[in-house]
Amino acid sequence: MLIKKVIAECLAAMGEKDFTDSTERTEQQTELATRLLGALNRAYREAVTEYLPVVEEETVNVTDGVIDVSSLAKNIVYPVSLTADGKTYKLKIYPDKLLSDYSGRAVLRYAYMPDELAESSELADMRFTLSMLTDGTLAEYYFRERAFDLAESYDTSFRTALSVARYRGRELRLKGGRW
């Protein structure tokens, strides 16, 4: 999905003229596009850190049980697993490193923070829909504009859509409780 398409959808929802395909923009249009893009990036970062993580697998060298997180290819948010020789090892999390009871080559799965989205970029993650990103962008935008009623309504639909995408196709079971 093109990011420009999300901004165009936001403009339509705001009742503004779509200027995303325009080569010459006024100063106000450029400022609005920049603010919407910033809101989109904030909403996207929140979605991938709290609801729909983006996961990377990377082969790492564990030296004396220490994995230096600065040597990873992506900006790690949290580790998912460390496996070597078909066995999974526990990890302890520190701000600048990960500790394990394993030493050697292993595969580290971790959730990472993706790069900022630009207006000309494309989001290939199929878990995100146009309406979901539009709602998240408008929620962030209206919150910054101090239009809290609008922000709350868009935020509610954004979080509902994220929850549906997070648990799609899986059954939620609650343990039997004592009542």
Side-chain angles (χ1 to χ4, degrees):
M1 157 185 4
L2 293 173
I3 299 305
K4 182 167 56 169
K5 201 171 181 182
V6 175
I7 293 175
E9 193 72 21
C10 289
L11 290 170
M14 295 168 67
E16 297 284 332
K17 180 181 168 229
D18 181 10
F19 54 80
T20 55
D21 289 328
S22 176
T23 55
E24 293 182 21
R25 294 182 181 174
T26 66
E27 185 178 323
Q28 293 163 334
Q29 290 174 336
T30 304
E31 182 183 333
L32 180 58
T34 303
R35 288 171 42 207
L36 284 173
L37 185 61
L40 172 62
N41 276 307
R42 285 189 299 277
Y44 181 61
R45 276 194 309 267
E46 182 180 349
V48 298
T49 55
E50 294 182 23
Y51 292 92
L52 303 169
V54 185
V55 178
E56 175 79 11
E57 279 192 10
E58 188 175 333
T59 303
V60 294
N61 287 320
V62 184
T63 309
D64 297 328
V66 177
I67 301 169
D68 183 20
V69 295
S70 64
S71 66
L72 297 175
K74 310 257 184 191
N75 188 9
I76 186 171
V77 176
Y78 59 87
V80 176
S81 66
L82 180 71
T83 57
D85 303 324
K87 192 174 175 186
T88 303
Y89 295 93
K90 291 183 180 183
L91 289 166
K92 276 191 168 183
I93 304 168
Y94 290 93
D96 60 340
K97 62 187 172 189
L98 300 172
L99 293 182
S100 175
D101 54 350
Y102 176 78
S103 287
R105 283 182 78 72
V107 176
L108 176 67
R109 289 188 76 223
Y110 61 93
Y112 68 93
M113 182 64 66
D115 296 332
E116 292 237 341
L117 301 170
E119 190 174 344
S120 59
S121 63
E122 185 173 348
L123 182 63
D125 195 340
M126 305 240 337
R127 298 175 298 175
F128 293 96
T129 63
L130 179 62
S131 62
M132 179 192 302
L133 288 175
T134 301
D135 289 344
T137 302
L138 290 173
E140 287 291 329
Y141 175 79
Y142 283 127
F143 180 74
R144 297 281 176 176
E145 292 295 309
R146 301 194 189 305
F148 297 118
D149 290 340
L150 282 171
E152 183 182 10
S153 68
Y154 281 113
D155 188 59
T156 301
S157 60
F158 176 58
R159 291 182 189 284
T160 302
L162 283 173
S163 296
V164 167
R166 182 180 191 181
Y167 296 112
R168 180 170 285 148
R170 288 183 283 178
E171 244 181 67
L172 293 178
R173 290 185 172 215
L174 298 174
K175 290 182 181 180
R178 291 175 51 190
W179 302 104

